[in-house]
Amino acid sequence: MSLAGPHAAALVELARTRAEPGSASLLHSALHARRLLLLKALLVRVQRHREAIDAAVFRRFGAAWQLLERAERRRPDVVRDLLDYPTTGGWLAAALAEPVGPGLDRHLARLDVLAATAALRSGCPVRLTVEVPDGLLVLPGVGRLSTGSSRVRISSGSRTGRLRPELPGPAGPEVLLRTDPATGALTGHGPGWSGLHVLSGSTARLDDMDPYRVPAGGIGLPPRDAEDHGVTDRAAWSARWDSGLDLLHRTDPARAGEVRRAVRAIVPLVARGPGSFGATMSAAPGAVLTSLPSGAEDMAETLVHELHHSKLATLHELVPLYGAGRTAVHRVGWRADPRPISGVMHGTYAHLALTDLWRRAAVAEGAPAGWRTRAGQQFDRIHDQVGEALAILLESDELTTEGRKFAHQMRRHHASLEAAPGATG
């Protein structure tokens, strides 16, 4: 695919790492189109292998699909928001990669919960019972019900819903859910219910509940596990988010605004030793996976760095920037291990965004003096490394035509930054 016209202009905007309406719109559309494509691919796979899928699972999947369609007809904006939520992408990636068998059956059961959440948020009447073998019912992007039952009944009208565990004897305690008719936001109250914490000034969730927030086996090397809801220090995470966004706002208001709009979830990871660790999943753009940053500067840099991995992953799905299956590796200044061309592209883009941020921070009158000094030092160190990595990209035969155009635009932006005036003074 080749980008032309307005889309070509958006490609230039994206290469500059700046927050522009045209590029944001392109990425939003690309993400949603990708989700619909993967959802359809899962439906086709289920239909193709229906004889190998548990009959009850197959029936529930079909009923859930119909419920999702009814909710979409009622509130397409709400269903789009749910489908585009990061953990929906994590689920689709896991389900499409799982061999046919009991593992796939377990993944398919997720559509029950996804459709029920869509119905609850859209005010679409629903009556169904979902299986929760581990006793945890997670409504993606909303919250979690912890129950001693393996089955939960879900019912709703236009503005209220109810979750009732099926327990031996009398009916179990009920959780009441209320839907905001304007936004489709869902809140709950009752025994065993925990809502996701919404980070201030945004719609981003501190997602420490969803089973698809981190791939099975963890993320990174060595693998990092997701922090469990029971041990998450929400006050500490909220403070880091607030201080990081405040620092970004004083340094670069446009970039702070982009973070508030584009980050959908912060996923806490278990800390391993000193220093924080950040990551993204290409299947789940908009989620920043990180151990607790040490302070405002660390948080600000993590948000900018990981957001640009998400942006590039979404763009690459829309228009491939590099080829697949090549074995060549390259040395870059910010990593000790050699990287494939995909890693060079991602690292260059994320560090170009940081270089842009540090240049602005070095001269930002509203930024703390210590941040200005550190930013100038970081700029001096990383700017040259980004230039060397750009040379690798532009000399490589592994980039597509669009990838080469993108790298040329990155080089133009890199050259425009030059030396940060007063960076180290």
Side-chain angles (χ1 to χ4, degrees):
M1 177 179 179
S2 178
L3 294 181
H7 285 173
L11 191 73
V12 174
E13 292 176 0
L14 284 167
R16 295 179 60 245
T17 78
R18 303 299 301 162
E20 302 288 349
S23 57
S25 177
L26 176 67
L27 293 181
H28 291 162
S29 297
L31 171 60
H32 189 61
R34 178 68 175 173
R35 288 292 161 82
L36 294 179
L37 179 65
L38 294 178
L39 195 60
K40 182 63 178 294
L42 183 61
L43 175 62
V44 170
R45 188 176 187 221
V46 168
Q47 293 172 335
R48 182 177 298 152
H49 297 286
R50 61 178 301 171
E51 299 302 325
I53 294 171
D54 180 85
V57 171
F58 183 81
R59 286 194 301 272
R60 291 199 302 271
F61 186 89
W65 189 277
Q66 292 177 0
L67 178 59
L68 188 63
E69 288 181 331
R70 291 200 301 273
E72 198 276 337
R73 286 194 293 269
R74 190 180 186 102
R75 285 292 300 270
D77 58 325
V78 165
V79 175
R80 175 172 182 161
D81 182 73
L82 178 61
L83 292 180
D84 293 353
Y85 188 69
T87 59
T88 303
W91 163 64
L92 284 167
L96 288 167
E98 186 73 26
V100 174
L104 177 59
D105 289 350
R106 288 191 294 272
H107 288 309
L108 295 181
R110 168 77 166 200
L111 189 64
D112 276 354
V113 178
L114 191 74
T117 304
L120 289 164
R121 289 189 55 192
S122 64
C124 183
V126 58
R127 301 285 188 278
L128 81 161
T129 299
V130 297
E131 305 287 337
V132 285
D134 57 359
L136 296 173
L137 171 64
V138 177
L139 303 185
V142 180
R144 183 176 78 177
L145 174 63
S146 178
T147 172
S149 172
S150 62
R151 291 164 60 88
V152 176
R153 279 180 282 168
I154 302 175
S155 60
S156 73
S158 61
R159 294 193 181 183
T160 61
R162 288 174 170 78
L163 307 178
R164 188 184 294 276
E166 290 191 350
L167 299 172
E174 186 176 79
V175 170
L176 180 65
L177 302 168
R178 295 191 182 278
T179 304
D180 183 325
T183 65
L186 195 62
T187 55
H189 178 75
W193 174 258
S194 299
L196 285 180
H197 179 64
V198 180
L199 296 165
S200 64
S202 73
T203 59
R205 267 64 175 164
L206 183 66
D207 200 332
D208 54 356
M209 300 182 192
D210 199 296
Y212 289 96
R213 65 193 186 275
V214 171
I219 191 167
L221 291 173
R224 309 284 182 125
D225 295 322
E227 193 170 75
D228 185 74
H229 170 67
V231 299
T232 301
D233 186 342
R234 291 188 172 190
W237 280 97
S238 292
R240 291 293 190 281
W241 170 266
D242 290 344
S243 63
L245 263 293
D246 176 69
L247 185 59
L248 279 178
H249 182 75
R250 288 190 282 165
T251 303
D252 188 345
R255 201 174 287 284
E258 180 185 35
V259 168
R260 292 185 189 278
R261 292 186 300 272
V263 174
R264 298 289 309 277
I266 299 291
V267 177
L269 299 178
V270 176
R272 284 180 178 267
S276 63
F277 170 85
T280 52
M281 296 190 298
S282 60
V288 173
L289 290 68
T290 180
S291 55
L292 185 65
S294 59
E297 296 174 9
D298 192 9
M299 184 59 151
E301 292 171 4
T302 297
L303 290 171
V304 170
H305 184 102
E306 301 306 335
L307 176 57
H308 282 78
H309 282 305
S310 280
K311 289 166 66 174
L312 193 70
T314 303
L315 177 62
H316 180 64
E317 292 288 355
L318 176 66
V319 50
L321 301 174
Y322 44 83
R326 302 293 289 271
T327 59
V329 291
H330 313 271
R331 294 281 181 182
V332 291
W334 51 82
R335 292 284 295 249
D337 54 327
R339 308 294 292 153
I341 202 67
S342 59
V344 177
M345 178 68 86
H346 267 275
T348 303
Y349 188 56
H351 283 86
L352 179 61
L354 286 175
T355 302
D356 183 291
L357 173 68
W358 286 324
R359 187 187 192 283
R360 295 167 189 272
V363 296
E365 294 182 0
W371 167 236
R372 294 200 303 269
T373 299
R374 180 181 180 279
Q377 294 168 346
Q378 288 289 86
F379 178 92
D380 288 342
R381 184 170 68 89
I382 299 297
H383 183 265
D384 289 346
Q385 293 180 1
V386 171
E388 293 166 0
L390 283 167
I392 292 172
L393 291 173
L394 291 169
E395 292 169 6
S396 172
D397 63 356
E398 298 174 80
L399 299 188
T400 64
T401 299
E402 297 294 340
R404 186 165 299 279
K405 292 177 182 176
F406 191 74
H408 274 292
Q409 292 297 334
M410 281 199 292
R411 183 171 66 176
R412 289 184 64 181
H413 185 56
H414 176 264
S416 74
L417 298 176
E418 298 178 349
T424 58

